[in-house]
Amino acid sequence: MDRPIAVFDSGLGGLSVLRALRRQMPQERFLYFGDSANAPYGSRPTEEIRALTLRSAEQLFRAGAKALVVACNTATSAAIEELRARYPERIIVGIEPALKLAVERHPGGKILVMATEATLRERKFAALMERHSGACTICKCPCPGLVEFVERGELDSPALHACLRAELGRHLTPPPDAVVLGCTHYPFLRTAIARTVGASCELLDGADGTARETQRRLKEAGLLRTAGTGAVDLTDSDPSVLPLAERLLNAE
């Protein structure tokens, strides 16, 4: 029970999921690993993403993790099936764009899905979109370059707003009813994205659902930590980003 929950991302984006996990399970210990030295994953080939993800998962399980949260939409899309096949006895929870939630909240509406190129090209997202496309108009919006803004800690700048206008502008007439933040980096850009798409557009991400599912799986396995003070150990393949990681984690 006292072993940590490992949280993995291609860089700093998974910190948005870690924040939700801490809210849901404040008594738990967390081991976060970001692979910022290899970020972004979203423009890499699927096999490369899978290999990087499997390598990090192996390291985290060796470090004693009782569960693994793949807090990266791209890594989940590319590697979650192989991870579960390789570690059938382990608790492994992924994340996916919150499209189901968006469709439920805005039936018949226009839904814009912001995600990396890799997430949007994988079979996992195609299946998700097929299940829900009849209920709404769904627009895929790959957003190259946005992850790098977060990795630099550049959350509000003229260059960021210009990038958002360039990527989202063609999708704003008519305006969307909801925007799905389908990359865990994007919640850190929520204010800038809202300014671009308009205040009436709802922004949704999958962090809270992933946190609830992780808690459910741990409770089912009898592995929840029921007492004590929670803690977070932040690690990254690029140690120079750790001060920024600490700031993003505690920005709420």
Side-chain angles (χ1 to χ4, degrees):
M1 290 185 186
D2 283 339
R3 290 181 292 143
I5 300 167
V7 183
F8 165 72
D9 181 60
S10 60
L12 301 177
L15 293 166
S16 64
V17 180
L18 179 54
R19 296 196 301 188
L21 288 161
R22 285 206 305 178
R23 287 193 301 268
Q24 191 74 21
M25 296 173 285
Q27 77 285 357
E28 290 288 349
R29 296 170 55 224
F30 295 97
L31 171 60
Y32 183 88
F33 177 69
D35 191 16
S36 294
N38 290 301
Y41 279 14
S43 56
R44 292 181 179 273
T46 298
E47 288 302 321
E48 193 173 344
I49 298 165
R50 187 175 296 128
L52 289 167
T53 303
L54 291 169
R55 183 180 69 184
S56 295
E58 182 178 358
Q59 293 172 349
L60 290 165
F61 282 132
R62 283 182 178 177
K66 65 182 178 182
L68 172 66
V69 178
V70 183
C72 175
N73 288 274
T74 299
T76 297
S77 296
I80 197 74
E81 291 179 7
E82 188 162 341
L83 275 172
R84 288 172 175 158
R86 184 172 293 195
Y87 302 102
E89 305 303 318
R90 302 282 195 169
I91 295 174
I92 300 174
V93 180
I95 189 168
E96 66 179 19
L99 183 56
K100 180 175 183 291
L101 179 61
V103 169
E104 288 173 350
R105 291 194 182 185
H106 301 277
K110 178 181 177 181
I111 310 296
L112 180 60
V113 182
M114 297 174 61
T116 66
E117 297 164 280
T119 294
L120 294 176
R121 75 171 179 244
E122 292 294 333
R123 294 192 309 272
K124 187 173 175 58
F125 180 77
L128 180 68
M129 188 169 173
E130 186 175 346
R131 288 198 299 272
H132 300 293
S133 59
C136 288
T137 300
I138 301 171
C139 304
K140 297 192 294 185
C141 185
C143 296
L146 281 191
V147 166
E148 290 91 331
F149 280 99
V150 178
E151 292 287 317
R152 294 193 298 268
E154 189 178 339
L155 310 184
D156 186 10
S157 71
L160 170 62
H161 290 287
C163 179
L164 287 170
R165 288 193 298 271
E167 297 299 336
L168 303 181
R170 65 187 182 278
H171 297 292
L172 301 183
T173 306
D177 297 285
V179 172
V180 174
L181 305 179
C183 170
T184 56
H185 282 76
Y186 297 170
F188 292 113
L189 304 175
R190 184 179 289 268
T191 299
I193 293 169
R195 194 177 303 168
T196 302
V197 300
S200 64
C201 180
E202 186 176 21
L203 305 186
L204 299 166
D205 68 78
D208 287 336
T210 295
R212 289 191 297 270
E213 175 64 8
T214 303
Q215 184 183 48
R216 185 192 70 79
R217 294 282 304 279
L218 287 167
K219 183 177 181 180
E220 189 177 73
L223 292 175
L224 275 177
R225 195 168 189 244
T226 56
T229 303
V232 174
D233 181 12
L234 294 177
T235 62
D236 199 286
S237 58
D238 179 2
S240 69
V241 307
L242 290 176
L244 175 58
E246 187 78 33
R247 179 157 60 87
L248 291 174
L249 179 62
N250 296 301
E252 290 182 305

